Amino acid sequence: MSNLLYLYGLVPSHEATTTPLPSIKGFDHDSVIYSISLNDVTAYVCELDSDYYSEETISDKINNDMEWLQEKAFHHHETVQQLAKQYTIVPLKFCTLYKSEDSLKHTIESNKEKLKETFKLLEGNEEWNLKIYCNDEQLKKKVSESNASIEAKRQEISQLPPGRQFFEKKKIDELINQELENEKNLFCEEIHEKLKKISLFGSIKKNWSKDVTGRKEKMAWNSVFLLPTPNVEEFIEEIKLDEETYGIDGWDFEVSGPWPAYHFSSFT
């Protein structure tokens, strides 16, 4: 049985011929990553023994062997990151496998126009991530003291008979929590829209839980941006300014990049 091809990413061939590929160990730590030139597109791959890396075996490892998964996912990420530092790359998802070089060639040929457009989009641009965290208790204090809806509710309750006031005051905490979430969403949306103005694209992603982040603060926002390289410094400075301005209210900003453009390129 022939070996499988593990695909890391696709780059424009004119870049691949200009910049030599450094020696990088492959997925199994024995093979070496190499390039396959397919006209205008060059694929970076390594070979894997199909007896040891069948679809069933990999699926079982992913579902049942966390140590293996972490090691291999880290290898994939680090390899694609290294390639992204040298080339305009369309990064592939973890464990993208092809049964043969012909199969890979056919897929690339079928998507050559889409790839051409993607390379054009990514060239000279970088993907950056912004996560916004919030100390809810700290912000809740400010919301409780300054929110107009909460103040109006307090005024309304103060006009009620004492017996009814007791029960209505219990609803204040519920209202504060509701207004807290509203204020968090509005704040993050405003930050996002401001940063989109200096980006080509901005996309909102799912928030991570505390179990994933390892932080005591809740993640309030998770977004990615595709930035022209000359705009990166302005992007970072804007975020630093926001942290200086709003950190006192419990906001914390975590910016990272550049990353391989997983969110702004798509290839299966």
Side-chain angles (χ1 to χ4, degrees):
M1 188 178 291
S2 61
N3 287 341
L4 298 170
L5 290 177
Y6 186 105
L7 179 60
Y8 293 94
L10 305 170
V11 309
S13 289
H14 69 87
E15 293 187 15
T17 55
T18 303
T19 307
L21 176 71
S23 179
I24 308 174
K25 287 291 185 181
F27 194 79
D28 60 0
H29 299 304
D30 291 323
S31 60
V32 176
I33 296 172
Y34 64 96
S35 63
I36 299 176
S37 180
L38 306 165
N39 297 320
D40 294 334
V41 179
T42 293
Y44 285 100
V45 303
C46 72
E47 291 189 5
L48 294 178
D49 188 324
S50 57
D51 290 333
Y52 290 98
Y53 290 96
S54 66
E55 184 177 341
E56 294 78 12
T57 301
I58 289 177
S59 178
D60 180 65
K61 287 285 190 182
I62 289 174
N63 292 321
N64 300 303
D65 191 338
M66 183 58 65
E67 185 177 345
W68 180 93
L69 176 60
Q70 289 177 338
E71 177 197 340
K72 297 302 185 184
F74 182 77
H75 160 80
H76 179 89
H77 169 75
E78 287 294 296
T79 302
V80 173
Q81 184 82 335
Q82 185 171 348
L83 292 171
K85 291 177 180 178
Q86 296 183 260
Y87 310 107
T88 301
I89 186 170
V90 173
L92 271 295
K93 292 181 179 179
F94 177 64
C95 281
T96 298
L97 297 169
Y98 283 85
K99 293 183 178 179
S100 67
E101 190 171 315
D102 285 340
S103 175
L104 174 59
K105 287 180 178 178
H106 174 74
T107 304
I108 291 177
E109 183 64 25
S110 301
N111 291 274
K112 62 182 180 180
E113 289 304 317
K114 182 180 179 182
L115 282 167
K116 184 178 179 180
E117 292 174 3
T118 303
F119 287 142
K120 185 177 179 180
L121 170 67
L122 298 183
E123 187 175 3
N125 300 311
E126 301 178 5
E127 179 173 311
W128 284 75
N129 172 250
L130 173 65
K131 294 179 176 65
I132 304 177
Y133 296 87
C134 180
N135 184 323
D136 281 2
E137 292 306 313
Q138 192 172 338
L139 184 60
K140 185 185 290 187
K141 184 174 185 297
K142 180 186 176 184
V143 170
S144 176
E145 294 172 352
S146 61
N147 184 273
S149 297
I150 295 170
E151 181 57 30
K153 186 66 175 177
R154 287 196 178 105
Q155 291 296 326
E156 177 187 326
I157 292 173
S158 69
Q159 305 301 315
L160 297 174
R164 286 194 60 192
Q165 284 189 28
F166 175 79
F167 293 104
E168 290 297 320
K169 283 180 179 177
K170 290 189 173 183
K171 296 180 181 179
I172 288 288
D173 283 342
E174 183 179 332
L175 179 60
I176 289 174
N177 288 330
Q178 180 182 323
E179 290 300 319
L180 173 66
E181 291 304 314
N182 290 341
E183 187 151 329
K184 284 165 61 177
N185 288 333
L186 181 61
F187 175 84
C188 292
E189 286 171 2
E190 289 176 350
I191 296 292
H192 184 79
E193 290 303 314
K194 179 180 67 173
L195 293 173
K196 277 180 68 175
K197 292 178 181 178
I198 56 176
S199 310
L200 292 176
F201 297 101
S203 179
I204 303 165
K205 312 306 294 182
K206 183 179 179 181
N207 288 341
W208 295 358
S209 68
K210 291 181 180 180
D211 290 338
V212 176
T213 65
R215 297 180 56 140
K216 62 180 181 180
E217 306 94 346
K218 287 178 64 176
M219 185 183 293
W221 199 259
N222 185 13
S223 54
V224 289
F225 299 87
L226 187 65
L227 291 160
T229 301
N231 291 11
V232 169
E233 186 175 349
E234 180 184 358
F235 177 82
I236 294 173
E237 287 303 316
E238 283 285 349
I239 294 171
K240 286 182 179 178
L241 182 60
D242 287 333
E243 186 151 38
E244 290 171 4
T245 304
Y246 302 110
I248 192 172
D249 295 325
W251 293 104
D252 187 25
F253 298 77
E254 183 180 282
V255 61
S256 61
W259 300 107
Y262 282 105
H263 296 95
F264 300 101
S265 60
S266 176
F267 183 83
T268 303

